[in-house]
Amino acid sequence: MIKIKSPREVERMRAAGKIAAAALRLAGEHAKPGVTTQQISRIVHDYIISCGATPSFLNYNGFPGSICTSVNEQVIHGIPGPYTLREGDIISIDVGATKDGFVGDCANTFAVGKIDDAVQRLIDVTRQSFFEGLKFAREGYRISDISHAIETYVESQGFSVVREYVGHGIGSQLHEAPEVPNYGKPGRGPRLMRGMTLAVEPMVNAGGAAIKVLPDEWTVVTEDGKPSAHYENTILITGGDPEILTTGED
Ligand code: MG
């Protein structure tokens, strides 16, 4: 069942979303050569706690980190650890913050120092694919209209979308109905209604779409070893333009 959020609940999601967005920006500022992914995680963890919130991913289904840090060919769910970032790496950071019982979830891929132009283009296309999907995040469209717009744009740019992991409804739970795939035919799935809150999160591979999970049972990597990027916001369906809840502005 898809939960329609009341104005009061939306207000709480805005608060959680702001904290998650600020935490993600902070993470990006620390994604520099010589920094370990564990150091970034610690900084973000402390920031979220200082806001009176909790890191939503810590212990979620047993996940052992406060955030996800996925470097280069890692797609999602990378566990923060001793890896030291190097010039030319990219790092996808996924942050969740829970405040007053509601969750904000967002992700972005950051360049570590100077990176290849081709990899920067992967990051740019991944971000833009979210906004292509957002054009259909409006009352009257269906879930898969978002999915189709993302896939169509990504493939037009020569990249591929990950299929095994998808966006999701979000609210008092990190993952709620419905699923929001990043691929598929248009006009399918639930009709969008104002008060729905969704995490839209394209995961885009430079090479093939295939992925595998590492023996740590969390880290998802591309099968061909080519880089992958991730971009995510928590959004609210309204009677007009969708509202991005994980935004730092105003
Ligand atoms: Mg998510």
Side-chain angles (χ1 to χ4, degrees):
M1 193 200 68
I2 301 175
K3 292 182 190 151
I4 301 297
K5 275 70 178 186
S6 69
R8 198 181 130 90
E9 290 171 326
V10 167
E11 208 38 66
R12 289 185 177 184
M13 291 204 60
R14 272 194 198 103
K18 256 182 195 162
I19 294 167
L24 180 60
R25 267 201 314 281
L26 183 66
E29 286 164 16
H30 286 86
K32 297 277 189 302
V35 178
T36 69
T37 54
Q38 179 56 48
Q39 285 172 325
I40 296 173
S41 179
R42 170 51 59 183
I43 290 162
V44 172
H45 178 99
D46 290 347
Y47 174 76
I48 291 172
I49 298 291
S50 78
C51 296
T54 53
S56 316
F57 303 162
L58 185 59
N59 300 322
Y60 184 82
N61 292 335
F63 185 74
S66 297
I67 62 174
C68 301
T69 52
S70 308
V71 178
N72 297 333
E73 79 285 359
Q74 298 178 352
V75 180
I76 49 168
H77 300 168
I79 302 168
Y83 179 80
T84 303
L85 294 173
R86 290 189 292 222
E87 179 102 11
D89 283 345
I90 59 171
I91 179 169
S92 298
I93 299 178
D94 198 341
V95 173
T98 305
K99 168 90 170 165
D100 295 333
F102 286 84
V103 188
D105 185 8
C106 52
N108 200 355
T109 300
F110 301 97
V112 180
K114 245 191 146 17
I115 62 169
D116 286 351
D117 289 349
V119 180
Q120 183 61 53
R121 197 171 78 80
L122 173 70
I123 292 175
D124 295 343
V125 165
T126 304
R127 180 179 190 280
Q128 184 59 35
S129 74
F130 167 87
F131 287 98
E132 295 299 321
L134 198 66
K135 292 174 184 171
F136 295 88
R138 308 178 76 90
E139 266 193 333
Y141 287 109
R142 290 181 184 271
I143 286 287
S144 85
D145 294 320
I146 299 172
S147 314
H148 182 71
I150 291 170
E151 180 186 28
T152 302
Y153 176 73
V154 167
E155 291 179 354
S156 79
Q157 300 301 308
F159 298 134
S160 50
V161 296
V162 172
R163 292 168 175 257
E164 289 85 348
Y165 299 88
V166 298
H168 48 94
I170 180 169
S172 59
Q173 304 299 314
L174 174 60
H175 293 114
E176 298 184 353
E179 291 196 339
V180 187
N182 298 303
Y183 65 93
K185 295 197 169 81
R188 310 262 172 105
R191 205 171 277 287
L192 298 172
M193 291 170 57
R194 70 184 74 184
M196 287 182 182
T197 43
L198 307 171
V200 177
E201 50 174 321
M203 292 148 255
V204 177
N205 294 351
I211 53 93
K212 60 185 182 186
V213 180
L214 294 185
D216 67 17
E217 294 181 355
W218 282 107
T219 311
V220 177
V221 299
T222 58
E223 205 167 80
D224 60 16
K226 292 186 178 166
S228 185
H230 187 199
Y231 187 85
E232 175 183 31
N233 279 302
T234 299
I235 66 167
L236 169 70
I237 305 299
T238 75
D241 291 338
E243 180 181 335
I244 296 178
L245 299 176
T246 40
T247 178
E249 276 109 63
D250 79 67

